[in-house]
Amino acid sequence: MVFRGKRRRDQSSRRQQPLLPKSCLDYLQRGLTQNGFYVLVDDQSHPYMTYCDLSSELGSAWTLVMSWQTAKFRDLPHFKTKVFAEDAPINAGSPNWFVYRETLARMKSIRSQSTHWRATCDINSREVIDYEDYLRGRFVDLDIFEWQGGQTCFPIDYVNIRGKAAGTGTTLAFWQNPGSYILHTDSQNTTCEFFYKADPLVDFFGYYGDGISSEFRCSATPDATTQWWFGGYLSKERFVQNNSQPVGA
């Protein structure tokens, strides 16, 4: 009798213990808003360390999946030729700004809890995001794990390259091919609705094999960095900054 009663209490206690989150959005939903290192669990319930951005964009949470010092490490295959669908971890479980890429399994686990992806520039040296040199899209519009190809137009949620910006539904050209280049856009004049013309050709938010721009924040200095994140929003409402820059879902 005592054993059965004790077992019921232990089982009840275990049921009441909160499960470890699978994405940073879970932490935001629990009321945490401090950016920093957090523990997540993957699809096999294995814990690992990640970096969460819980405050830079109102009502959203972002899990860092990749970051590198653009000029120094742009030729590493992890950041140049290995597409998102390939497993190419470096410093996995030890997130940092300068040379980091998570495992494919963990990326897929985070993606399963995310609605959006975004790319940022040199975020580690900035106190706030001002949405310059910034890219955000929805997995439903461009699933960066599934799609591979060249110069294909996809609708994005928001893009800003050197101050030239466009909002929801605007199309932007992307490239991503295994063995050739990781997901990125560039300065070609494409048939898509948005492009940032630069001559000679330079790349934005990844690859950087065609060239880098000293005017683009991700590559403006030798120490500048590029980041990719997966995330989502607490609500479906869209917030608008300065009447022109959408910063919500």
Side-chain angles (χ1 to χ4, degrees):
M1 293 291 293
V2 174
F3 176 77
R4 289 197 298 272
K6 184 176 181 180
R7 181 171 58 186
R8 285 197 296 269
R9 286 195 297 271
D10 288 346
Q11 290 173 339
S12 175
S13 175
R14 284 196 295 270
R15 285 195 298 269
Q16 293 173 3
Q17 292 176 352
L19 298 176
L20 279 173
K22 295 183 71 175
S23 78
C24 295
L25 185 60
D26 293 329
Y27 280 112
L28 185 63
Q29 290 170 335
R30 296 179 184 184
L32 281 75
T33 59
Q34 181 69 43
N35 298 342
F37 299 101
Y38 289 83
V39 176
L40 300 180
V41 293
D42 59 21
D43 290 337
Q44 285 71 47
S45 298
H46 298 147
Y48 64 96
M49 186 71 69
T50 194
Y51 184 87
C52 292
D53 175 0
L54 305 177
S55 67
S56 71
E57 296 191 53
L58 182 62
S60 69
W62 300 91
T63 307
L64 184 67
V65 297
M66 197 183 313
S67 185
W68 69 100
Q69 193 172 338
T70 304
K72 185 174 182 179
F73 296 115
R74 65 173 173 153
D75 288 328
L76 282 182
H78 311 72
F79 310 120
K80 187 174 185 179
T81 60
K82 295 293 186 179
V83 300
F84 273 96
E86 294 181 283
D87 192 26
I90 185 168
N91 290 325
S94 299
N96 65 87
W97 302 118
F98 304 107
V99 56
Y100 167 68
R101 176 170 170 158
E102 257 307 342
T103 66
L104 177 61
R106 289 172 181 171
M107 281 195 195
K108 286 186 172 181
S109 177
I110 298 166
R111 184 261 179 269
S112 71
Q113 308 297 310
S114 303
T115 55
H116 290 69
W117 47 261
R118 76 173 184 181
T120 59
C121 290
D122 216 23
I123 195 172
N124 49 298
S125 66
R126 305 185 185 281
E127 294 183 2
V128 296
I129 287 183
D130 61 5
Y131 300 96
E132 184 169 322
D133 295 336
Y134 172 97
L135 174 64
R136 185 178 68 240
R138 303 189 304 166
F139 279 106
V140 70
D141 294 323
L142 170 55
D143 190 329
I144 61 180
F145 285 104
E146 298 295 331
W147 177 78
Q148 296 172 11
Q151 194 173 323
T152 304
C153 301
F154 288 98
I156 48 84
D157 202 38
Y158 186 72
V159 62
N160 182 306
I161 297 176
R162 303 306 303 133
K164 182 178 180 180
T168 303
T170 303
T171 58
L172 175 68
F174 289 91
W175 287 258
Q176 180 174 229
N177 268 320
S180 297
Y181 29 76
I182 196 173
L183 186 71
H184 70 287
T185 189
D186 66 23
S187 63
Q188 294 183 51
N189 185 350
T190 68
T191 58
C192 305
E193 294 171 325
F194 180 94
F195 69 92
Y196 184 91
K197 181 65 175 177
D199 189 16
L201 183 68
V202 294
D203 298 314
F204 303 120
F205 305 112
Y207 179 52
Y208 301 112
D210 295 317
I212 59 176
S213 170
S214 60
E215 298 179 345
F216 183 60
R217 286 182 179 176
C218 285
S219 52
T221 69
D223 296 328
T225 57
T226 303
Q227 292 81 39
W228 281 86
W229 314 73
F230 300 160
Y233 294 81
L234 291 177
S235 72
K236 295 181 179 180
E237 295 180 0
R238 177 170 298 281
F239 300 93
V240 178
Q241 181 184 47
N242 297 330
N243 297 321
S244 62
Q245 294 182 344
V247 297

